[in-house]
Amino acid sequence: MRIRPHLLTYTILLAAVAVILVLLVRGLGHGPPPGDLHDLLKGPELWQASGGRFPSLAQILGTYGPCDDYPPPLMLVAQLLLLVSTGSIGLLLLTNLAYLAGFGLAFWLLVRRISGGGAALLALVMLLSQPFVMWVLTAVGPEAPLLALTAGLCLALYRSEGLTRRGPILAAVMLLGLMSLTKVTFFLHAAGPVAITGWRALRGRRWAGLALFLGGALLLSLPWYLYNLERLACYVSGNLATGAVGTEDFLFRDFLPGGGARIVHGLGPVLLGIALLFAWLKPARQDVNAHARDSVDLVFLAACCAPALLLALTAGLIRDALPLLELTVGLPFALALAAHLLLTRTSPGLRPALFALAGALMLFNLLTFAPPPRFSPPDPRATSASMGSLHEQVTRALLKDPRLGDGPVLLVNKADLPYKVMLDPICFWWAALSQGRDMTFRCLGCREDRYEMQRELEPAERPPTMEVIFGGEGPAHLTVEAGVLGATRVGVEIRSTNH
């Protein structure tokens, strides 16, 4: 069988992203991976509370409280399956490998059918040139599974040929139901392909296919939403009142490089703009896309991304903050359309230059995405702690201390460390649980936003038995190297509250 060069290169690029993800997991040691700490907390906490066994459906449904973040049960089930099978929370990030593979396969099959393998490859290259896309692919959160399911839904609806083929219809029903159990904004990414497919079915009077699709999707999604209606209404109304978080989220600052990533971030839309400019030009005489379809297929490709992109544009104009997570899920299909226009409306001599430019941006992004310290695990023999090793070293010292007991541990920040996230109680809990011990941490003098959460803000049942004082006047058990303009050494004192 002849090997397609485009498919081979496409597969190599996906494998490169998978290697980066594995290296990131290896370099984190006992620290939590990048992601929303709320999404990180649910799976391990429920797994630990169930004694390392898979919890019951009632336990999963009872995990979320009133006005809680939208519950992503699909992501939670995937986390629990990995935790039960491996027993290691340090490997939690590897669930994204399955999502990456699912997205890569569905996206390739869809774009190759509409525009050819060259367009699929170019679209992936442009996608991987965006730093925030890399963060989504390597972070724990609902966006990575939503990206895979969206690509699968678009492929299934396209293959259904206007809801005339029963197999693709059933696949679309299942995928849409799973999307609804992933994130409440799933409708932004499903609305376009569902609407255009439904319109084609209505025009062709395919009532049976339309009824099967809509009825099956409602049957899968409605029970969860009706059960959590009050919680969801409270969460959505509260989220609209407070506004969306844009590019200033500390996770983006911590896990993306600085100036270089911002430059790459800005060049990606420039490529898309160039592609749209070429759309007004006449098609090249020699069309390299032997699989090009009529304009209906291109409209379908645009529908797969239009609602999410319109939301991102509207939010950017109103709130001056792009919802990058939603943008990432819709971006691949916009770039697929751009790649089609670039390859069909430019002369053959310019096409190698397009691949070279996009490939250079992608290579720069892949090489600079993860900060270098994240690629190597912390040295347990080190006498000073960095941002990457602080939580592991402190919890190791606590676990070796005979005075620890069963009470909470109080973290006291007297040094006003510049990296306030270093003292997040969730990070210390994660490090302790990854070493086989469930510990409760509280913090005094730390950040007061949602990223500290204090183990979901539950009150401590007992007074603390130990204190970890950063910048105290007593004897230092270890030191922290931290600083903005230059590294400074801060002493860390560990003492019993019965001193």
Side-chain angles (χ1 to χ4, degrees), residues 251-382:
L251 289 169
F252 284 92
R253 295 200 303 267
D254 287 345
F255 289 96
L256 297 179
R262 302 305 177 206
I263 294 174
V264 176
H265 186 179
L267 288 176
V270 172
L271 282 177
L272 181 58
I274 293 174
L276 296 177
L277 178 63
F278 280 122
W280 297 98
L281 303 178
K282 293 181 179 180
R285 291 182 180 179
Q286 183 183 0
D287 189 358
V288 297
N289 180 17
H291 303 282
R293 305 278 179 157
D294 55 51
S295 59
V296 175
D297 287 340
L298 298 183
V299 172
F300 177 84
L301 203 56
C304 291
C305 62
L309 296 185
L310 288 175
L311 169 73
L313 177 62
T314 304
L317 292 175
I318 296 176
R319 299 178 178 173
D320 194 27
L322 284 175
L324 293 180
L325 300 180
E326 301 298 341
L327 180 65
T328 302
V329 181
L331 189 61
F333 308 98
L335 293 177
L337 180 60
H340 173 88
L341 297 174
L342 283 168
L343 293 180
T344 58
R345 299 178 183 253
T346 57
S347 64
L350 286 178
R351 289 163 191 155
L354 293 174
F355 276 96
L357 175 60
L361 294 174
M362 180 204 66
L363 184 62
F364 176 80
N365 186 38
L366 294 183
L367 291 177
T368 59
F369 168 69
R374 296 287 178 181
F375 281 118
S376 56
D379 186 356
R381 299 168 298 179

Side-chain angles (χ1 to χ4, degrees), residues 45-62:
E45 191 168 46
L46 186 56
W47 169 69
Q48 188 273 337
S50 303
R53 297 182 300 273
F54 194 85
S56 64
L57 179 61
Q59 287 176 299
I60 294 176
L61 294 177

Side-chain angles (χ1 to χ4, degrees), residues 88-379:
S88 172
I89 66 170
L91 300 178
L92 203 60
L93 194 61
L94 294 183
T95 55
N96 282 24
L97 288 176
Y99 307 139
L100 176 64
F103 162 74
L105 178 61
F107 189 68
W108 168 266
L109 292 176
L110 175 66
V111 182
R112 183 183 65 85
R113 274 188 161 271
I114 293 177
S115 302
L121 175 59
L122 182 59
L124 180 68
V125 170
M126 289 192 291
L127 180 70
L128 296 182
S129 70
Q130 301 302 300
F132 60 87
V133 172
M134 286 298 301
W135 187 88
V136 166
L137 292 176
T138 55
V140 174
E143 286 73 30
L146 185 61
L147 183 64
L149 291 169
T150 301
L153 176 69
C154 291
L155 174 63
L157 289 176
Y158 179 79
R159 294 290 302 273
S160 73
E161 299 179 359
L163 300 179
T164 60
R165 302 176 61 194
R166 185 175 298 273
I169 292 175
L170 293 177
V173 167
M174 182 186 68
L175 289 165
L176 184 57
L178 292 176
M179 282 180 67
S180 71
L181 300 178
T182 304
K183 195 174 182 181
V184 72
T185 54
F186 80 96
F187 65 89
L188 291 172
H189 309 286
V194 167
I196 196 169
T197 303
W199 175 74
R200 291 180 62 185
L202 288 174
R203 287 190 62 189
R205 299 181 182 276
R206 298 152 191 156
W207 309 115
L210 188 60
L212 175 62
F213 173 64
L214 295 179
L218 289 174
L219 187 64
L220 287 177
S221 60
L222 272 184
W224 173 265
Y225 282 85
L226 292 176
Y227 181 83
N228 293 284
L229 185 60
E230 184 178 355
R231 297 182 180 92
L232 289 173
C234 181
Y235 165 66
V236 171
S237 61
N239 208 36
L240 291 176
T242 57
V245 178
T247 56
E248 294 306 310
D249 192 297
F250 84 89
L251 289 169
F252 284 92
R253 295 200 303 267
D254 287 345
F255 289 96
L256 297 179
R262 302 305 177 206
I263 294 174
V264 176
H265 186 179
L267 288 176
V270 172
L271 282 177
L272 181 58
I274 293 174
L276 296 177
L277 178 63
F278 280 122
W280 297 98
L281 303 178
K282 293 181 179 180
R285 291 182 180 179
Q286 183 183 0
D287 189 358
V288 297
N289 180 17
H291 303 282
R293 305 278 179 157
D294 55 51
S295 59
V296 175
D297 287 340
L298 298 183
V299 172
F300 177 84
L301 203 56
C304 291
C305 62
L309 296 185
L310 288 175
L311 169 73
L313 177 62
T314 304
L317 292 175
I318 296 176
R319 299 178 178 173
D320 194 27
L322 284 175
L324 293 180
L325 300 180
E326 301 298 341
L327 180 65
T328 302
V329 181
L331 189 61
F333 308 98
L335 293 177
L337 180 60
H340 173 88
L341 297 174
L342 283 168
L343 293 180
T344 58
R345 299 178 183 253
T346 57
S347 64
L350 286 178
R351 289 163 191 155
L354 293 174
F355 276 96
L357 175 60
L361 294 174
M362 180 204 66
L363 184 62
F364 176 80
N365 186 38
L366 294 183
L367 291 177
T368 59
F369 168 69
R374 296 287 178 181
F375 281 118
S376 56
D379 186 356

